[in-house]
Amino acid sequence: MNYTQHPKTGLKWGLKERIKHRDPRNLKRSNHFGAANLDSIPSDFDLAPDFEVLNQLDSTFCTAFSNAVASGIQEDKILSPEFGIQKTKLIQGGDPHSWGANPYAGFKSQVKYGGLERKDNPFPLEEKGGYFVEDPANWTAQIPNLDPKAFEHRKKSYMEADDFDNHFDSALSTMWSSHQASKAYNETSKKRAILWGVMWQPSWTYAEGGVIPNDTSGFDKTLPHQVCLKGSKMINGKRYLIVQNSWGQLGDKGLYYVPREVMNSKYTIYLESLEDIDPNVAKESWSIVAVLIDILNNLYRSFANLLRK
């Protein structure tokens, strides 16, 4: 079972693929942007402390919502998850009403099509519902007017946030180094929230104050989820990373706090950041071994898909 039910609506939802496959753009971020000195990172910082918390309602697209938040933090604008939902479905193909999303289709939608500002969105989720919004066919008549506007918000690429040998410090370093760059250049566009693919545990949803416990003894596999990491906070003398979820005001008014033990455990599926790196630079970094691994992964996925049929 690769999905579970939304805590409010009861609808099935989640990431379409739980196990991350390697992508050629999954390069070490530190090779291109450098890594922060961990000892210099303050206890508390937030890339966007007042950024609006979104609510995916009956949509199964946590990817489109967290992508819109990460991209929006870079631009200091509220972007439309609805536009990202249908573009992800377009890239993903197949039945537009199948549950969930391939995370890489979501990342690619940010690179290929960009994002639409909420003020330009013709189909608000709360008015049209997820079944209507997720079908690209319903957007066809609007596309000639919307695509040029979305194109202005394209990201050049995406890559793994893997500066260090553990997820917690890697995410912390990426967020802080981008925060420092933003201050140094006085540019919001330098900020990098992290897209965290996580096996969300149902017990976390109503954790007191949004604080995720550091108990890693259990492992519920029913809710693969994608959220944004956007800062650090000390709670009772312990550092946590700030999670912005897309479930409205659940948790601490939409926020959760994840400890090192959980971030560095089996619960983490991937860490990605949207980056302004020319894809041609990424191609130059491919090694023969990396290309072979990518080919083998794609063959394995194709074979696995045939077995499912």
Side-chain angles (χ1 to χ4, degrees), residues 22-125:
R22 189 188 177 281
D23 186 280
R25 274 177 290 203
N26 284 348
L27 309 169
K28 276 192 174 294
R29 186 181 190 278
S30 55
N31 289 348
H32 299 276
F33 299 100
N37 180 347
L38 295 176
D39 294 334
S40 69
I41 302 177
S43 303
D44 297 83
F45 72 92
D46 190 330
L47 296 179
D50 300 316
F51 202 81
E52 181 178 334
V53 172
L54 304 179
N55 192 337
Q56 62 188 84
L57 299 173
D58 69 338
S59 163
T60 64
F61 274 72
C62 53
T63 52
F65 276 78
S66 47
N67 288 342
V69 170
S71 186
I73 286 175
Q74 289 179 226
E75 300 186 38
D76 195 24
K77 294 177 180 177
I78 302 297
L79 300 180
S80 161
E82 293 89 344
F83 184 83
I85 289 173
Q86 57 93 22
K87 288 302 188 186
T88 300
K89 279 292 189 182
L90 189 65
I91 293 172
Q92 188 168 291
D95 179 2
H97 303 302
S98 62
W99 62 270
N102 179 321
Y104 283 95
F107 302 148
K108 289 173 182 176
S109 74
Q110 299 293 308
V111 173
K112 185 174 182 178
Y113 296 106
L116 191 69
E117 290 187 46
R118 185 164 62 185
K119 64 181 178 61
D120 296 319
N121 173 33
F123 302 133
L125 189 64

Side-chain angles (χ1 to χ4, degrees), residues 193-255:
I194 303 296
L195 296 162
W196 181 31
V198 54
M199 280 298 186
W200 189 271
Q201 302 300 289
S203 61
W204 298 350
T205 303
Y206 299 101
E208 185 176 354
V211 179
I212 295 173
N214 61 11
D215 179 12
T216 59
S217 58
F219 190 53
D220 190 309
K221 299 180 180 180
T222 59
L223 182 47
H225 188 37
Q226 182 176 297
V227 294
C228 266
L229 302 172
K230 67 186 187 92
S232 167
K233 182 174 182 177
M234 291 293 284
I235 302 175
N236 296 326
K238 182 181 178 69
R239 188 196 288 272
Y240 291 76
L241 300 186
I242 302 171
V243 176
Q244 181 154 332
N245 209 339
S246 53
W247 295 346
Q249 296 300 300
L250 290 175
D252 178 18
K253 298 180 180 179
L255 303 181

Side-chain angles (χ1 to χ4, degrees), residues 68 104 184 204 223 251 267 270 279 288 298 304:
Y104 283 95
W204 298 350
L223 182 47
Y267 300 124
Y270 54 81
I288 294 176
N298 287 332

Side-chain angles (χ1 to χ4, degrees), residues 28-42 45 47 161-182 192 194 232 239 241 260 275:
K28 276 192 174 294
R29 186 181 190 278
S30 55
N31 289 348
H32 299 276
F33 299 100
N37 180 347
L38 295 176
D39 294 334
S40 69
I41 302 177
F45 72 92
L47 296 179
D162 61 348
D163 295 342
F164 294 89
D165 60 0
N166 69 84
H167 302 309
F168 191 92
D169 287 340
S170 293
L172 187 64
S173 169
T174 295
M175 291 187 291
W176 178 246
S177 59
S178 73
H179 181 65
Q180 289 295 87
S182 173
R192 294 293 179 270
I194 303 296
S232 167
R239 188 196 288 272
L241 300 186
R260 177 180 293 273
E275 298 292 352

Side-chain angles (χ1 to χ4, degrees), residues 282-303:
K283 289 180 181 179
E284 291 171 4
S285 301
W286 295 359
S287 66
I288 294 176
V289 173
V291 171
L292 287 174
I293 290 174
D294 196 55
I295 291 172
L296 290 173
N297 273 327
N298 287 332
L299 289 173
Y300 170 79
R301 291 175 62 240
S302 297
F303 181 68

